[in-house]
Coordinates of all heavy atoms in Angstrom, one line a residue:
L838 N 0.8 -1.2 0.0 CA 0.0 0.0 0.0 C 0.9 1.3 0.0 O 1.9 1.3 0.6 CB -0.9 0.0 1.2 CG -1.8 -1.2 1.4 CD1 -2.7 -1.0 2.7 CD2 -2.7 -1.5 0.2
S839 N 0.4 2.3 -0.7 CA 1.2 3.5 -0.8 C 0.2 4.7 -1.0 O -1.0 4.5 -1.2 CB 2.2 3.5 -1.9 OG 1.6 3.4 -3.2
N840 N 0.7 5.9 -1.0 CA 0.0 7.1 -1.3 C -1.3 7.2 -0.4 O -2.4 7.4 -0.9 CB -0.4 7.2 -2.8 CG -1.0 8.5 -3.2 OD1 -0.7 9.5 -2.5 ND2 -1.8 8.5 -4.2
R841 N -1.0 7.2 0.9 CA -2.1 7.3 1.8 C -2.7 8.7 1.8 O -2.0 9.7 1.8 CB -1.6 7.0 3.2 CG -2.6 7.1 4.3 CD -2.0 6.7 5.7 NE -2.9 6.8 6.8 CZ -2.7 6.2 7.9 NH1 -1.6 5.6 8.2 NH2 -3.6 6.3 8.9
R842 N -4.1 8.7 1.7 CA -4.7 10.0 1.8 C -6.2 9.8 2.3 O -6.7 8.7 2.3 CB -4.8 10.7 0.4 CG -5.7 10.0 -0.7 CD -4.9 9.0 -1.5 NE -5.6 8.6 -2.7 CZ -5.2 7.5 -3.4 NH1 -4.2 6.8 -3.0 NH2 -5.9 7.2 -4.5
I843 N -6.8 10.9 2.7 CA -8.2 10.9 3.2 C -9.1 10.9 1.9 O -9.0 11.8 1.1 CB -8.5 12.1 4.1 CG1 -7.6 12.0 5.4 CG2 -10.0 12.1 4.4 CD1 -7.8 13.2 6.3
W844 N -9.9 9.8 1.8 CA -10.8 9.7 0.7 C -12.1 10.5 1.1 O -12.7 11.1 0.2 CB -11.1 8.2 0.5 CG -11.9 7.9 -0.7 CD1 -11.4 7.7 -2.0 CD2 -13.3 7.7 -0.9 NE1 -12.3 7.4 -2.9 CE2 -13.6 7.4 -2.2 CE3 -14.4 7.8 0.0 CZ2 -14.8 7.2 -2.7 CZ3 -15.7 7.5 -0.5 CH2 -15.9 7.2 -1.8
A845 N -12.5 10.5 2.3 CA -13.7 11.3 2.8 C -13.6 11.4 4.3 O -13.4 10.5 5.0 CB -15.0 10.6 2.4
N846 N -13.7 12.7 4.7 CA -14.0 12.9 6.1 C -15.5 12.6 6.4 O -16.3 13.1 5.7 CB -13.7 14.4 6.5 CG -12.2 14.7 6.7 OD1 -11.6 14.0 7.4 ND2 -11.7 15.6 5.9
T847 N -15.7 11.8 7.4 CA -17.1 11.4 7.6 C -17.8 12.0 8.8 O -18.9 11.8 9.1 CB -17.2 9.8 7.8 OG1 -16.4 9.5 9.0 CG2 -16.7 9.1 6.6
A848 N -17.0 12.8 9.6 CA -17.6 13.5 10.8 C -18.8 14.2 10.5 O -18.9 14.9 9.4 CB -16.5 14.4 11.4
P849 N -19.9 14.1 11.3 CA -19.9 13.5 12.6 C -20.1 12.0 12.6 O -20.4 11.4 13.7 CB -21.0 14.3 13.3 CG -22.0 14.5 12.2 CD -21.1 14.8 11.0
H850 N -20.1 11.4 11.5 CA -20.4 10.0 11.4 C -19.1 9.1 11.7 O -18.0 9.5 11.4 CB -20.9 9.6 10.0 CG -22.2 10.2 9.7 ND1 -23.4 9.8 10.3 CD2 -22.6 11.3 8.9 CE1 -24.4 10.5 9.9 NE2 -23.9 11.5 9.0
F851 N -19.4 8.0 12.4 CA -18.3 7.0 12.8 C -18.4 5.8 11.9 O -19.3 5.0 12.1 CB -18.4 6.6 14.3 CG -18.1 7.7 15.3 CD1 -19.1 8.7 15.5 CD2 -16.9 7.7 15.9 CE1 -18.8 9.7 16.4 CE2 -16.6 8.7 16.9 CZ -17.6 9.7 17.1
P852 N -17.6 5.7 10.9 CA -17.7 4.5 10.0 C -17.2 3.2 10.6 O -16.1 3.1 11.1 CB -16.8 4.9 8.8 CG -15.7 5.8 9.4 CD -16.4 6.5 10.6
D853 N -18.1 2.2 10.6 CA -17.8 0.9 11.1 C -17.6 0.0 9.9 O -16.7 0.2 9.1 CB -18.9 0.4 12.1 CG -18.5 -0.8 12.9 OD1 -17.9 -1.7 12.4 OD2 -18.9 -0.8 14.1
G854 N -18.5 -1.0 9.7 CA -18.4 -1.7 8.5 C -18.8 -0.9 7.3 O -19.6 0.0 7.4
I855 N -18.2 -1.2 6.1 CA -18.5 -0.5 4.9 C -18.7 -1.4 3.7 O -18.2 -2.6 3.7 CB -17.4 0.6 4.6 CG1 -16.1 -0.1 4.2 CG2 -17.2 1.5 5.8 CD1 -15.0 0.8 3.7
C856 N -19.3 -0.9 2.6 CA -19.3 -1.6 1.4 C -19.3 -0.6 0.2 O -19.5 0.6 0.5 CB -20.5 -2.5 1.3 SG -22.1 -1.7 1.2
Q857 N -19.1 -1.0 -1.0 CA -19.0 -0.1 -2.1 C -20.0 -0.4 -3.2 O -20.6 -1.6 -3.2 CB -17.6 -0.2 -2.7 CG -17.2 -1.5 -3.3 CD -15.8 -1.6 -3.8 OE1 -15.4 -0.6 -4.5 NE2 -15.1 -2.7 -3.6
D858 N -20.3 0.5 -4.0 CA -21.2 0.3 -5.1 C -20.6 0.6 -6.4 O -19.5 1.2 -6.5 CB -22.6 1.1 -4.9 CG -22.4 2.6 -4.9 OD1 -21.7 3.1 -5.8 OD2 -23.0 3.2 -4.1
G859 N -21.2 0.3 -7.5 CA -20.6 0.4 -8.8 C -20.6 1.8 -9.4 O -20.0 2.1 -10.4
D860 N -21.2 2.8 -8.6 CA -21.2 4.2 -9.0 C -20.1 5.0 -8.3 O -20.2 6.2 -8.3 CB -22.6 4.8 -8.9 CG -23.6 4.2 -9.8 OD1 -23.4 4.4 -11.0 OD2 -24.5 3.5 -9.4
G861 N -19.2 4.3 -7.6 CA -18.2 5.0 -6.9 C -18.5 5.4 -5.5 O -17.7 6.1 -4.8
G862 N -19.6 5.0 -4.9 CA -19.9 5.4 -3.6 C -19.5 4.3 -2.6 O -19.4 3.1 -2.9
V863 N -19.2 4.7 -1.3 CA -19.0 3.9 -0.2 C -20.0 4.1 0.8 O -20.2 5.2 1.3 CB -17.5 4.1 0.4 CG1 -17.3 3.3 1.6 CG2 -16.5 3.8 -0.7
W864 N -20.7 3.0 1.2 CA -21.7 3.0 2.3 C -21.1 2.7 3.6 O -20.3 1.7 3.7 CB -22.8 2.0 2.0 CG -23.6 2.3 0.7 CD1 -23.1 2.0 -0.6 CD2 -24.9 2.8 0.6 NE1 -24.1 2.4 -1.5 CE2 -25.2 2.9 -0.8 CE3 -25.8 3.2 1.5 CZ2 -26.4 3.3 -1.3 CZ3 -27.0 3.7 1.0 CH2 -27.3 3.8 -0.3
I865 N -21.4 3.5 4.6 CA -20.8 3.2 5.9 C -22.0 2.9 6.9 O -23.1 3.5 6.8 CB -20.0 4.4 6.5 CG1 -20.9 5.6 6.8 CG2 -18.9 4.8 5.5 CD1 -20.3 6.6 7.8
A866 N -21.8 2.0 7.8 CA -22.7 1.8 8.9 C -22.2 2.6 10.1 O -21.0 2.5 10.4 CB -22.8 0.3 9.3
D867 N -23.0 3.4 10.7 CA -22.6 4.3 11.8 C -23.4 3.9 13.1 O -24.6 4.2 13.2 CB -23.0 5.7 11.4 CG -22.6 6.7 12.5 OD1 -22.2 6.3 13.6 OD2 -22.8 7.9 12.3
P868 N -22.7 3.2 14.0 CA -23.4 2.8 15.2 C -23.8 3.9 16.2 O -24.7 3.8 17.0 CB -22.4 1.8 15.9 CG -21.1 2.3 15.4 CD -21.3 2.8 14.0
V869 N -23.0 5.0 16.1 CA -23.3 6.1 17.0 C -24.5 6.9 16.6 O -25.3 7.3 17.5 CB -22.0 7.0 17.1 CG1 -22.3 8.2 18.0 CG2 -20.8 6.2 17.6
N870 N -24.6 7.2 15.3 CA -25.7 8.0 14.9 C -26.9 7.2 14.3 O -27.8 7.8 13.7 CB -25.2 9.0 13.8 CG -24.3 10.0 14.4 OD1 -24.7 10.9 15.2 ND2 -23.0 9.9 14.2
H871 N -26.9 5.9 14.4 CA -28.0 5.0 14.1 C -28.4 5.2 12.6 O -29.6 5.4 12.4 CB -29.2 5.3 15.0 CG -28.9 5.0 16.5 ND1 -29.8 5.0 17.5 CD2 -27.7 4.7 17.1 CE1 -29.3 4.8 18.6 NE2 -28.0 4.5 18.4
C872 N -27.5 5.0 11.7 CA -27.8 5.2 10.3 C -26.8 4.5 9.5 O -25.8 4.0 9.9 CB -27.9 6.6 10.0 SG -26.3 7.5 10.0
V873 N -27.1 4.4 8.2 CA -26.2 4.0 7.1 C -26.2 5.2 6.2 O -27.2 5.7 5.8 CB -26.6 2.7 6.4 CG1 -25.7 2.4 5.2 CG2 -26.6 1.6 7.4
A874 N -25.0 5.6 5.7 CA -24.8 6.7 4.9 C -23.9 6.4 3.7 O -23.0 5.7 3.8 CB -24.3 8.0 5.6
R875 N -24.2 7.0 2.5 CA -23.4 6.8 1.3 C -22.6 8.0 1.1 O -23.1 9.1 0.9 CB -24.3 6.5 0.1 CG -23.5 6.3 -1.2 CD -24.5 6.1 -2.4 NE -23.7 5.7 -3.6 CZ -23.3 6.6 -4.5 NH1 -23.6 7.9 -4.3 NH2 -22.7 6.3 -5.6
F876 N -21.3 7.8 1.0 CA -20.3 8.9 0.8 C -19.7 8.7 -0.6 O -19.5 7.6 -1.1 CB -19.2 8.9 1.8 CG -19.5 9.4 3.1 CD1 -20.2 8.6 4.0 CD2 -19.2 10.7 3.5 CE1 -20.5 9.1 5.3 CE2 -19.6 11.2 4.7 CZ -20.2 10.4 5.6
V877 N -19.4 9.8 -1.3 CA -18.5 9.8 -2.5 C -17.2 10.5 -2.1 O -17.1 11.2 -1.1 CB -19.2 10.5 -3.6 CG1 -20.5 9.7 -4.1 CG2 -19.6 11.9 -3.3
E878 N -16.2 10.3 -3.0 CA -14.9 10.8 -2.7 C -15.0 12.3 -2.5 O -15.6 13.0 -3.3 CB -13.9 10.5 -3.8 CG -12.5 10.9 -3.5 CD -11.5 10.4 -4.6 OE1 -12.0 9.9 -5.6 OE2 -10.3 10.5 -4.3
G879 N -14.3 12.8 -1.4 CA -14.4 14.2 -1.1 C -15.3 14.5 0.1 O -15.2 15.5 0.8
G880 N -16.2 13.5 0.5 CA -17.0 13.6 1.7 C -18.4 13.9 1.6 O -19.1 14.0 2.6
E881 N -18.9 14.1 0.4 CA -20.4 14.4 0.2 C -21.2 13.2 0.6 O -20.9 12.1 0.1 CB -20.7 14.9 -1.2 CG -22.2 15.2 -1.5 CD -22.5 15.4 -2.9 OE1 -21.6 15.4 -3.8 OE2 -23.7 15.6 -3.2
I882 N -22.3 13.4 1.3 CA -23.3 12.4 1.6 C -24.4 12.5 0.6 O -25.0 13.5 0.4 CB -23.8 12.5 3.0 CG1 -22.7 12.3 4.0 CG2 -25.0 11.5 3.2 CD1 -23.2 12.5 5.5
T883 N -24.6 11.4 -0.2 CA -25.7 11.4 -1.2 C -26.9 10.7 -0.7 O -28.0 11.0 -1.3 CB -25.2 10.7 -2.5 OG1 -24.9 9.3 -2.2 CG2 -23.9 11.4 -3.0
D884 N -26.8 9.8 0.2 CA -28.0 9.0 0.7 C -27.8 8.7 2.2 O -26.6 8.5 2.6 CB -28.1 7.7 -0.1 CG -28.3 7.9 -1.6 OD1 -27.3 8.1 -2.3 OD2 -29.5 7.7 -2.0
K885 N -28.9 8.7 2.9 CA -28.8 8.3 4.3 C -30.1 7.5 4.7 O -31.2 7.9 4.3 CB -28.7 9.6 5.1 CG -28.5 9.4 6.6 CD -28.2 10.7 7.3 CE -28.0 10.6 8.8 NZ -27.8 11.9 9.4

């Protein structure tokens, strides 16, 4: 692994388990805020 960088700041969300979709999104499960949210690179939330 190389070129470490932040793909998305998720605060105030705490990302636990995650999965990805074919449109470039990453879904995070957040146990603290009781939700699942979809992030795209840069940190935008598109779905919750």
Side-chain angles (χ1 to χ4, degrees):
L838 303 183
S839 64
N840 190 24
R841 178 175 182 166
R842 68 269 192 195
I843 295 175
W844 192 85
N846 281 304
T847 62
H850 295 286
F851 290 77
D853 195 319
I855 68 175
C856 68
Q857 61 181 323
D858 63 46
D860 292 295
V863 173
W864 296 77
I865 72 159
D867 179 356
V869 177
N870 293 289
H871 299 186
C872 68
V873 173
R875 180 182 184 267
F876 284 82
V877 293
E878 187 173 7
E881 179 188 357
I882 296 176
T883 64
D884 299 79
K885 187 174 180 181

